[in-house]
Amino acid sequence: MSDGTGRIAGVRVLIVEDETIIAMAAEDMVEDMGAIVHATAASLGEAMAAVAAGGFDIALLDINLHDERSMPAAHALELGGTPFLFTTGYGSGGPDPAFSHVPVLPKPYRQADVAAAIATALGR
């Protein structure tokens, strides 16, 4: 784990991603980093249920979930004090201005970038 991924070992991660292949790749990355996939959600409804249930340390939120945006989940996470990152295939522009302080990981993302962003968001 010379790329710094050891800093997030044991971290429980919620992955919100509507594309199955990308979700599976993200799950593999998280596990390869020594972190734990707490849950994976493919829709806003699933994301909201997972956020309400809690039990994770950080969330990776795809901004666009088919015909929905993940902003309601982002609001719920922020209200609950749970750190999160946005992921998107549409460049750095994406979240509404209320979330300009939240890091955005452009897709396709690399494991080292995900690890660094998670570690930074968690203050590690």
mmCIF file of all heavy atoms in Angstrom, residues 5-56:
data_model
loop_
_atom_site.group_PDB
_atom_site.id
_atom_site.type_symbol
_atom_site.label_atom_id
_atom_site.label_comp_id
_atom_site.label_asym_id
_atom_site.label_seq_id
_atom_site.Cartn_x
_atom_site.Cartn_y
_atom_site.Cartn_z
ATOM 1 N N THR A 5 -2.844 4.261 0.519
ATOM 2 C CA THR A 5 -4.180 3.735 0.780
ATOM 3 C C THR A 5 -4.324 3.169 2.183
ATOM 4 O O THR A 5 -5.444 3.030 2.671
ATOM 5 C CB THR A 5 -4.558 2.648 -0.251
ATOM 6 O OG1 THR A 5 -3.598 1.599 -0.188
ATOM 7 C CG2 THR A 5 -4.608 3.222 -1.653
ATOM 8 N N GLY A 6 -3.222 2.860 2.856
ATOM 9 C CA GLY A 6 -3.293 2.342 4.214
ATOM 10 C C GLY A 6 -3.913 3.314 5.196
ATOM 11 O O GLY A 6 -4.389 2.905 6.257
ATOM 12 N N ARG A 7 -3.956 4.588 4.844
ATOM 13 C CA ARG A 7 -4.547 5.594 5.736
ATOM 14 C C ARG A 7 -6.046 5.421 5.897
ATOM 15 O O ARG A 7 -6.645 5.991 6.801
ATOM 16 C CB ARG A 7 -4.262 7.008 5.218
ATOM 17 C CG ARG A 7 -2.793 7.366 5.226
ATOM 18 C CD ARG A 7 -2.577 8.790 4.812
ATOM 19 N NE ARG A 7 -3.017 8.980 3.425
ATOM 20 C CZ ARG A 7 -3.206 10.159 2.864
ATOM 21 N NH1 ARG A 7 -3.018 11.273 3.549
ATOM 22 N NH2 ARG A 7 -3.588 10.262 1.607
ATOM 23 N N ILE A 8 -6.672 4.643 5.022
ATOM 24 C CA ILE A 8 -8.125 4.492 5.134
ATOM 25 C C ILE A 8 -8.542 3.054 5.460
ATOM 26 O O ILE A 8 -9.714 2.711 5.335
ATOM 27 C CB ILE A 8 -8.849 5.009 3.878
ATOM 28 C CG1 ILE A 8 -8.496 4.186 2.649
ATOM 29 C CG2 ILE A 8 -8.558 6.477 3.657
ATOM 30 C CD1 ILE A 8 -9.466 4.409 1.513
ATOM 31 N N ALA A 9 -7.593 2.253 5.905
ATOM 32 C CA ALA A 9 -7.927 0.877 6.283
ATOM 33 C C ALA A 9 -9.012 0.884 7.358
ATOM 34 O O ALA A 9 -8.957 1.646 8.314
ATOM 35 C CB ALA A 9 -6.685 0.156 6.786
ATOM 36 N N GLY A 10 -10.022 0.051 7.154
ATOM 37 C CA GLY A 10 -11.110 -0.075 8.117
ATOM 38 C C GLY A 10 -12.214 0.957 7.984
ATOM 39 O O GLY A 10 -13.234 0.857 8.651
ATOM 40 N N VAL A 11 -12.049 1.951 7.117
ATOM 41 C CA VAL A 11 -13.078 2.973 6.914
ATOM 42 C C VAL A 11 -14.273 2.327 6.210
ATOM 43 O O VAL A 11 -14.125 1.589 5.239
ATOM 44 C CB VAL A 11 -12.522 4.159 6.078
ATOM 45 C CG1 VAL A 11 -13.630 5.103 5.654
ATOM 46 C CG2 VAL A 11 -11.449 4.891 6.856
ATOM 47 N N ARG A 12 -15.465 2.611 6.700
ATOM 48 C CA ARG A 12 -16.700 2.087 6.108
ATOM 49 C C ARG A 12 -17.238 3.095 5.096
ATOM 50 O O ARG A 12 -17.487 4.249 5.438
ATOM 51 C CB ARG A 12 -17.727 1.815 7.192
ATOM 52 C CG ARG A 12 -17.261 0.735 8.175
ATOM 53 C CD ARG A 12 -18.052 0.758 9.440
ATOM 54 N NE ARG A 12 -17.869 2.099 10.044
ATOM 55 C CZ ARG A 12 -18.520 2.544 11.092
ATOM 56 N NH1 ARG A 12 -19.408 1.798 11.691
ATOM 57 N NH2 ARG A 12 -18.290 3.742 11.577
ATOM 58 N N VAL A 13 -17.423 2.638 3.855
ATOM 59 C CA VAL A 13 -17.751 3.517 2.736
ATOM 60 C C VAL A 13 -19.108 3.163 2.142
ATOM 61 O O VAL A 13 -19.378 2.002 1.837
ATOM 62 C CB VAL A 13 -16.669 3.417 1.632
ATOM 63 C CG1 VAL A 13 -16.986 4.361 0.474
ATOM 64 C CG2 VAL A 13 -15.284 3.705 2.200
ATOM 65 N N LEU A 14 -19.942 4.184 1.964
ATOM 66 C CA LEU A 14 -21.181 4.060 1.196
ATOM 67 C C LEU A 14 -20.862 4.509 -0.218
ATOM 68 O O LEU A 14 -20.341 5.609 -0.419
ATOM 69 C CB LEU A 14 -22.289 4.944 1.786
ATOM 70 C CG LEU A 14 -23.532 5.135 0.900
ATOM 71 C CD1 LEU A 14 -24.250 3.810 0.652
ATOM 72 C CD2 LEU A 14 -24.464 6.170 1.515
ATOM 73 N N ILE A 15 -21.162 3.669 -1.200
ATOM 74 C CA ILE A 15 -20.951 4.007 -2.603
ATOM 75 C C ILE A 15 -22.309 4.235 -3.246
ATOM 76 O O ILE A 15 -23.172 3.352 -3.207
ATOM 77 C CB ILE A 15 -20.198 2.881 -3.342
ATOM 78 C CG1 ILE A 15 -18.819 2.679 -2.717
ATOM 79 C CG2 ILE A 15 -20.094 3.190 -4.834
ATOM 80 C CD1 ILE A 15 -18.090 1.437 -3.200
ATOM 81 N N VAL A 16 -22.503 5.417 -3.825
ATOM 82 C CA VAL A 16 -23.739 5.729 -4.544
ATOM 83 C C VAL A 16 -23.352 5.905 -6.005
ATOM 84 O O VAL A 16 -22.700 6.887 -6.373
ATOM 85 C CB VAL A 16 -24.418 6.989 -3.978
ATOM 86 C CG1 VAL A 16 -25.684 7.303 -4.773
ATOM 87 C CG2 VAL A 16 -24.734 6.808 -2.500
ATOM 88 N N GLU A 17 -23.728 4.939 -6.826
ATOM 89 C CA GLU A 17 -23.330 4.905 -8.237
ATOM 90 C C GLU A 17 -24.371 4.130 -9.025
ATOM 91 O O GLU A 17 -24.704 3.001 -8.658
ATOM 92 C CB GLU A 17 -21.951 4.240 -8.372
ATOM 93 C CG GLU A 17 -21.489 3.987 -9.765
ATOM 94 C CD GLU A 17 -21.388 5.252 -10.613
ATOM 95 O OE1 GLU A 17 -20.634 6.166 -10.244
ATOM 96 O OE2 GLU A 17 -22.080 5.303 -11.652
ATOM 97 N N ASP A 18 -24.876 4.732 -10.100
ATOM 98 C CA ASP A 18 -25.929 4.092 -10.880
ATOM 99 C C ASP A 18 -25.415 3.180 -11.994
ATOM 100 O O ASP A 18 -26.172 2.367 -12.506
ATOM 101 C CB ASP A 18 -26.881 5.135 -11.455
ATOM 102 C CG ASP A 18 -26.202 6.106 -12.404
ATOM 103 O OD1 ASP A 18 -24.973 6.295 -12.297
ATOM 104 O OD2 ASP A 18 -26.898 6.699 -13.248
ATOM 105 N N GLU A 19 -24.167 3.275 -12.355
ATOM 106 C CA GLU A 19 -23.598 2.415 -13.395
ATOM 107 C C GLU A 19 -22.966 1.192 -12.730
ATOM 108 O O GLU A 19 -21.996 1.317 -11.974
ATOM 109 C CB GLU A 19 -22.558 3.178 -14.209
ATOM 110 C CG GLU A 19 -23.128 4.352 -14.988
ATOM 111 C CD GLU A 19 -24.093 3.938 -16.083
ATOM 112 O OE1 GLU A 19 -23.969 2.796 -16.601
ATOM 113 O OE2 GLU A 19 -24.983 4.730 -16.415
ATOM 114 N N THR A 20 -23.491 0.019 -13.021
ATOM 115 C CA THR A 20 -23.078 -1.208 -12.344
ATOM 116 C C THR A 20 -21.574 -1.453 -12.454
ATOM 117 O O THR A 20 -20.929 -1.782 -11.452
ATOM 118 C CB THR A 20 -23.855 -2.416 -12.906
ATOM 119 O OG1 THR A 20 -25.251 -2.166 -12.752
ATOM 120 C CG2 THR A 20 -23.484 -3.693 -12.179
ATOM 121 N N ILE A 21 -21.011 -1.304 -13.632
ATOM 122 C CA ILE A 21 -19.570 -1.562 -13.822
ATOM 123 C C ILE A 21 -18.737 -0.603 -12.984
ATOM 124 O O ILE A 21 -17.746 -1.011 -12.357
ATOM 125 C CB ILE A 21 -19.199 -1.440 -15.323
ATOM 126 C CG1 ILE A 21 -19.759 -2.617 -16.091
ATOM 127 C CG2 ILE A 21 -17.714 -1.306 -15.530
ATOM 128 C CD1 ILE A 21 -19.078 -3.947 -15.810
ATOM 129 N N ILE A 22 -19.120 0.666 -12.949
ATOM 130 C CA ILE A 22 -18.376 1.651 -12.157
ATOM 131 C C ILE A 22 -18.537 1.354 -10.671
ATOM 132 O O ILE A 22 -17.587 1.450 -9.896
ATOM 133 C CB ILE A 22 -18.815 3.081 -12.509
ATOM 134 C CG1 ILE A 22 -18.471 3.378 -13.971
ATOM 135 C CG2 ILE A 22 -18.157 4.098 -11.588
ATOM 136 C CD1 ILE A 22 -19.038 4.685 -14.502
ATOM 137 N N ALA A 23 -19.737 0.974 -10.259
ATOM 138 C CA ALA A 23 -19.969 0.630 -8.849
ATOM 139 C C ALA A 23 -19.106 -0.564 -8.447
ATOM 140 O O ALA A 23 -18.488 -0.552 -7.370
ATOM 141 C CB ALA A 23 -21.446 0.325 -8.615
ATOM 142 N N MET A 24 -19.029 -1.567 -9.305
ATOM 143 C CA MET A 24 -18.223 -2.742 -9.003
ATOM 144 C C MET A 24 -16.740 -2.384 -8.930
ATOM 145 O O MET A 24 -16.025 -2.863 -8.045
ATOM 146 C CB MET A 24 -18.472 -3.835 -10.042
ATOM 147 C CG MET A 24 -19.867 -4.437 -9.936
ATOM 148 S SD MET A 24 -20.317 -5.527 -11.323
ATOM 149 C CE MET A 24 -19.089 -6.793 -11.204
ATOM 150 N N ALA A 25 -16.292 -1.532 -9.835
ATOM 151 C CA ALA A 25 -14.890 -1.094 -9.807
ATOM 152 C C ALA A 25 -14.607 -0.308 -8.533
ATOM 153 O O ALA A 25 -13.553 -0.490 -7.900
ATOM 154 C CB ALA A 25 -14.577 -0.254 -11.042
ATOM 155 N N ALA A 26 -15.546 0.555 -8.128
ATOM 156 C CA ALA A 26 -15.369 1.328 -6.895
ATOM 157 C C ALA A 26 -15.337 0.404 -5.681
ATOM 158 O O ALA A 26 -14.522 0.596 -4.775
ATOM 159 C CB ALA A 26 -16.489 2.366 -6.753
ATOM 160 N N GLU A 27 -16.200 -0.600 -5.664
ATOM 161 C CA GLU A 27 -16.195 -1.574 -4.565
ATOM 162 C C GLU A 27 -14.839 -2.274 -4.482
ATOM 163 O O GLU A 27 -14.280 -2.415 -3.384
ATOM 164 C CB GLU A 27 -17.300 -2.608 -4.769
ATOM 165 C CG GLU A 27 -18.688 -2.063 -4.574
ATOM 166 C CD GLU A 27 -19.785 -3.021 -5.001
ATOM 167 O OE1 GLU A 27 -19.493 -4.044 -5.668
ATOM 168 O OE2 GLU A 27 -20.949 -2.752 -4.663
ATOM 169 N N ASP A 28 -14.326 -2.695 -5.636
ATOM 170 C CA ASP A 28 -13.013 -3.357 -5.661
ATOM 171 C C ASP A 28 -11.923 -2.432 -5.149
ATOM 172 O O ASP A 28 -11.053 -2.849 -4.371
ATOM 173 C CB ASP A 28 -12.668 -3.835 -7.075
ATOM 174 C CG ASP A 28 -13.496 -5.034 -7.517
ATOM 175 O OD1 ASP A 28 -14.133 -5.687 -6.656
ATOM 176 O OD2 ASP A 28 -13.511 -5.314 -8.738
ATOM 177 N N MET A 29 -11.945 -1.168 -5.584
ATOM 178 C CA MET A 29 -10.943 -0.195 -5.132
ATOM 179 C C MET A 29 -11.001 -0.030 -3.619
ATOM 180 O O MET A 29 -9.969 -0.050 -2.949
ATOM 181 C CB MET A 29 -11.175 1.174 -5.776
ATOM 182 C CG MET A 29 -10.639 1.327 -7.139
ATOM 183 S SD MET A 29 -10.871 3.070 -7.649
ATOM 184 C CE MET A 29 -10.787 2.868 -9.402
ATOM 185 N N VAL A 30 -12.195 0.175 -3.104
ATOM 186 C CA VAL A 30 -12.374 0.375 -1.665
ATOM 187 C C VAL A 30 -11.822 -0.821 -0.894
ATOM 188 O O VAL A 30 -11.068 -0.658 0.076
ATOM 189 C CB VAL A 30 -13.861 0.641 -1.344
ATOM 190 C CG1 VAL A 30 -14.137 0.514 0.146
ATOM 191 C CG2 VAL A 30 -14.270 2.031 -1.839
ATOM 192 N N GLU A 31 -12.169 -2.004 -1.335
ATOM 193 C CA GLU A 31 -11.694 -3.204 -0.646
ATOM 194 C C GLU A 31 -10.186 -3.376 -0.789
ATOM 195 O O GLU A 31 -9.510 -3.762 0.163
ATOM 196 C CB GLU A 31 -12.453 -4.426 -1.154
ATOM 197 C CG GLU A 31 -13.897 -4.419 -0.702
ATOM 198 C CD GLU A 31 -14.758 -5.493 -1.338
ATOM 199 O OE1 GLU A 31 -14.294 -6.165 -2.296
ATOM 200 O OE2 GLU A 31 -15.900 -5.647 -0.886
ATOM 201 N N ASP A 32 -9.641 -3.072 -1.975
ATOM 202 C CA ASP A 32 -8.192 -3.163 -2.195
ATOM 203 C C ASP A 32 -7.428 -2.194 -1.294
ATOM 204 O O ASP A 32 -6.273 -2.431 -0.972
ATOM 205 C CB ASP A 32 -7.836 -2.891 -3.653
ATOM 206 C CG ASP A 32 -8.217 -4.028 -4.586
ATOM 207 O OD1 ASP A 32 -8.555 -5.135 -4.088
ATOM 208 O OD2 ASP A 32 -8.185 -3.809 -5.814
ATOM 209 N N MET A 33 -8.069 -1.110 -0.900
ATOM 210 C CA MET A 33 -7.440 -0.114 -0.031
ATOM 211 C C MET A 33 -7.538 -0.505 1.446
ATOM 212 O O MET A 33 -7.068 0.218 2.310
ATOM 213 C CB MET A 33 -8.076 1.262 -0.239
ATOM 214 C CG MET A 33 -7.802 1.855 -1.601
ATOM 215 S SD MET A 33 -8.484 3.518 -1.783
ATOM 216 C CE MET A 33 -10.193 3.185 -2.140
ATOM 217 N N GLY A 34 -8.200 -1.617 1.730
ATOM 218 C CA GLY A 34 -8.360 -2.039 3.115
ATOM 219 C C GLY A 34 -9.558 -1.423 3.796
ATOM 220 O O GLY A 34 -9.767 -1.602 4.989
ATOM 221 N N ALA A 35 -10.358 -0.694 3.049
ATOM 222 C CA ALA A 35 -11.583 -0.114 3.587
ATOM 223 C C ALA A 35 -12.719 -1.130 3.407
ATOM 224 O O ALA A 35 -12.526 -2.198 2.829
ATOM 225 C CB ALA A 35 -11.912 1.204 2.895
ATOM 226 N N ILE A 36 -13.880 -0.789 3.895
ATOM 227 C CA ILE A 36 -15.021 -1.708 3.891
ATOM 228 C C ILE A 36 -16.166 -1.071 3.114
ATOM 229 O O ILE A 36 -16.546 0.072 3.379
ATOM 230 C CB ILE A 36 -15.483 -1.990 5.338
ATOM 231 C CG1 ILE A 36 -14.339 -2.625 6.130
ATOM 232 C CG2 ILE A 36 -16.743 -2.853 5.360
ATOM 233 C CD1 ILE A 36 -14.499 -2.494 7.632
ATOM 234 N N VAL A 37 -16.718 -1.814 2.168
ATOM 235 C CA VAL A 37 -17.917 -1.351 1.462
ATOM 236 C C VAL A 37 -19.094 -1.599 2.398
ATOM 237 O O VAL A 37 -19.482 -2.741 2.630
ATOM 238 C CB VAL A 37 -18.115 -2.083 0.120
ATOM 239 C CG1 VAL A 37 -19.424 -1.633 -0.529
ATOM 240 C CG2 VAL A 37 -16.942 -1.840 -0.814
ATOM 241 N N HIS A 38 -19.616 -0.530 2.953
ATOM 242 C CA HIS A 38 -20.748 -0.643 3.872
ATOM 243 C C HIS A 38 -22.020 -0.977 3.098
ATOM 244 O O HIS A 38 -22.814 -1.825 3.510
ATOM 245 C CB HIS A 38 -20.921 0.655 4.653
ATOM 246 C CG HIS A 38 -22.126 0.671 5.527
ATOM 247 N ND1 HIS A 38 -22.169 -0.015 6.720
ATOM 248 C CD2 HIS A 38 -23.343 1.245 5.367
ATOM 249 C CE1 HIS A 38 -23.372 0.159 7.268
ATOM 250 N NE2 HIS A 38 -24.098 0.906 6.461
ATOM 251 N N ALA A 39 -22.230 -0.274 1.981
ATOM 252 C CA ALA A 39 -23.403 -0.495 1.132
ATOM 253 C C ALA A 39 -23.146 0.184 -0.207
ATOM 254 O O ALA A 39 -22.315 1.083 -0.311
ATOM 255 C CB ALA A 39 -24.663 0.088 1.777
ATOM 256 N N THR A 40 -23.889 -0.277 -1.212
ATOM 257 C CA THR A 40 -23.862 0.347 -2.528
ATOM 258 C C THR A 40 -25.303 0.669 -2.906
ATOM 259 O O THR A 40 -26.181 -0.180 -2.762
ATOM 260 C CB THR A 40 -23.230 -0.585 -3.575
ATOM 261 O OG1 THR A 40 -21.909 -0.923 -3.151
ATOM 262 C CG2 THR A 40 -23.152 0.087 -4.936
ATOM 263 N N ALA A 41 -25.522 1.889 -3.355
ATOM 264 C CA ALA A 41 -26.853 2.339 -3.754
ATOM 265 C C ALA A 41 -26.806 2.782 -5.208
ATOM 266 O O ALA A 41 -25.861 3.448 -5.618
ATOM 267 C CB ALA A 41 -27.313 3.488 -2.867
ATOM 268 N N ALA A 42 -27.831 2.407 -5.986
ATOM 269 C CA ALA A 42 -27.848 2.731 -7.410
ATOM 270 C C ALA A 42 -28.860 3.811 -7.772
ATOM 271 O O ALA A 42 -28.927 4.228 -8.921
ATOM 272 C CB ALA A 42 -28.134 1.466 -8.218
ATOM 273 N N SER A 43 -29.641 4.261 -6.801
ATOM 274 C CA SER A 43 -30.659 5.280 -7.072
ATOM 275 C C SER A 43 -30.714 6.255 -5.899
ATOM 276 O O SER A 43 -30.190 5.963 -4.816
ATOM 277 C CB SER A 43 -32.030 4.628 -7.245
ATOM 278 O OG SER A 43 -32.476 4.089 -6.011
ATOM 279 N N LEU A 44 -31.380 7.364 -6.120
ATOM 280 C CA LEU A 44 -31.535 8.330 -5.038
ATOM 281 C C LEU A 44 -32.310 7.723 -3.878
ATOM 282 O O LEU A 44 -31.950 7.913 -2.717
ATOM 283 C CB LEU A 44 -32.222 9.606 -5.544
ATOM 284 C CG LEU A 44 -32.439 10.681 -4.493
ATOM 285 C CD1 LEU A 44 -31.116 11.125 -3.859
ATOM 286 C CD2 LEU A 44 -33.174 11.868 -5.095
ATOM 287 N N GLY A 45 -33.346 6.963 -4.163
ATOM 288 C CA GLY A 45 -34.124 6.329 -3.097
ATOM 289 C C GLY A 45 -33.278 5.388 -2.250
ATOM 290 O O GLY A 45 -33.354 5.408 -1.019
ATOM 291 N N GLU A 46 -32.464 4.566 -2.913
ATOM 292 C CA GLU A 46 -31.582 3.660 -2.178
ATOM 293 C C GLU A 46 -30.550 4.451 -1.378
ATOM 294 O O GLU A 46 -30.226 4.084 -0.245
ATOM 295 C CB GLU A 46 -30.865 2.717 -3.146
ATOM 296 C CG GLU A 46 -31.758 1.684 -3.781
ATOM 297 C CD GLU A 46 -31.029 0.824 -4.808
ATOM 298 O OE1 GLU A 46 -29.799 0.943 -4.959
ATOM 299 O OE2 GLU A 46 -31.715 0.017 -5.470
ATOM 300 N N ALA A 47 -30.050 5.523 -1.973
ATOM 301 C CA ALA A 47 -29.062 6.356 -1.275
ATOM 302 C C ALA A 47 -29.669 6.982 -0.024
ATOM 303 O O ALA A 47 -29.047 6.977 1.044
ATOM 304 C CB ALA A 47 -28.518 7.440 -2.203
ATOM 305 N N MET A 48 -30.876 7.504 -0.149
ATOM 306 C CA MET A 48 -31.534 8.137 0.998
ATOM 307 C C MET A 48 -31.781 7.114 2.107
ATOM 308 O O MET A 48 -31.604 7.427 3.288
ATOM 309 C CB MET A 48 -32.841 8.802 0.564
ATOM 310 C CG MET A 48 -32.649 9.986 -0.382
ATOM 311 S SD MET A 48 -31.638 11.323 0.287
ATOM 312 C CE MET A 48 -32.750 11.995 1.529
ATOM 313 N N ALA A 49 -32.170 5.894 1.743
ATOM 314 C CA ALA A 49 -32.389 4.853 2.747
ATOM 315 C C ALA A 49 -31.073 4.494 3.437
ATOM 316 O O ALA A 49 -31.033 4.327 4.661
ATOM 317 C CB ALA A 49 -33.010 3.618 2.094
ATOM 318 N N ALA A 50 -29.988 4.394 2.665
ATOM 319 C CA ALA A 50 -28.687 4.065 3.249
ATOM 320 C C ALA A 50 -28.196 5.178 4.163
ATOM 321 O O ALA A 50 -27.654 4.920 5.239
ATOM 322 C CB ALA A 50 -27.663 3.803 2.140
ATOM 323 N N VAL A 51 -28.401 6.433 3.747
ATOM 324 C CA VAL A 51 -27.998 7.572 4.579
ATOM 325 C C VAL A 51 -28.798 7.558 5.878
ATOM 326 O O VAL A 51 -28.243 7.756 6.961
ATOM 327 C CB VAL A 51 -28.162 8.909 3.817
ATOM 328 C CG1 VAL A 51 -27.985 10.099 4.746
ATOM 329 C CG2 VAL A 51 -27.165 8.986 2.659
ATOM 330 N N ALA A 52 -30.089 7.311 5.791
ATOM 331 C CA ALA A 52 -30.932 7.279 6.987
ATOM 332 C C ALA A 52 -30.517 6.145 7.929
ATOM 333 O O ALA A 52 -30.535 6.316 9.146
ATOM 334 C CB ALA A 52 -32.404 7.118 6.591
ATOM 335 N N ALA A 53 -30.109 5.025 7.365
ATOM 336 C CA ALA A 53 -29.700 3.888 8.194
ATOM 337 C C ALA A 53 -28.340 4.125 8.852
ATOM 338 O O ALA A 53 -28.076 3.628 9.944
ATOM 339 C CB ALA A 53 -29.661 2.613 7.354
ATOM 340 N N GLY A 54 -27.470 4.893 8.186
ATOM 341 C CA GLY A 54 -26.158 5.218 8.745
ATOM 342 C C GLY A 54 -25.245 4.014 8.850
ATOM 343 O O GLY A 54 -25.401 3.025 8.150
ATOM 344 N N GLY A 55 -24.249 4.130 9.742
ATOM 345 C CA GLY A 55 -23.319 3.045 9.968
ATOM 346 C C GLY A 55 -22.078 3.084 9.106
ATOM 347 O O GLY A 55 -21.302 2.137 9.090
ATOM 348 N N PHE A 56 -21.855 4.168 8.373
ATOM 349 C CA PHE A 56 -20.678 4.301 7.530
ATOM 350 C C PHE A 56 -19.942 5.582 7.901
ATOM 351 O O PHE A 56 -20.497 6.467 8.553
ATOM 352 C CB PHE A 56 -21.050 4.276 6.038
ATOM 353 C CG PHE A 56 -22.079 5.296 5.656
ATOM 354 C CD1 PHE A 56 -21.709 6.556 5.211
ATOM 355 C CD2 PHE A 56 -23.433 4.999 5.759
ATOM 356 C CE1 PHE A 56 -22.666 7.501 4.881
ATOM 357 C CE2 PHE A 56 -24.401 5.937 5.423
ATOM 358 C CZ PHE A 56 -24.014 7.191 4.982
#
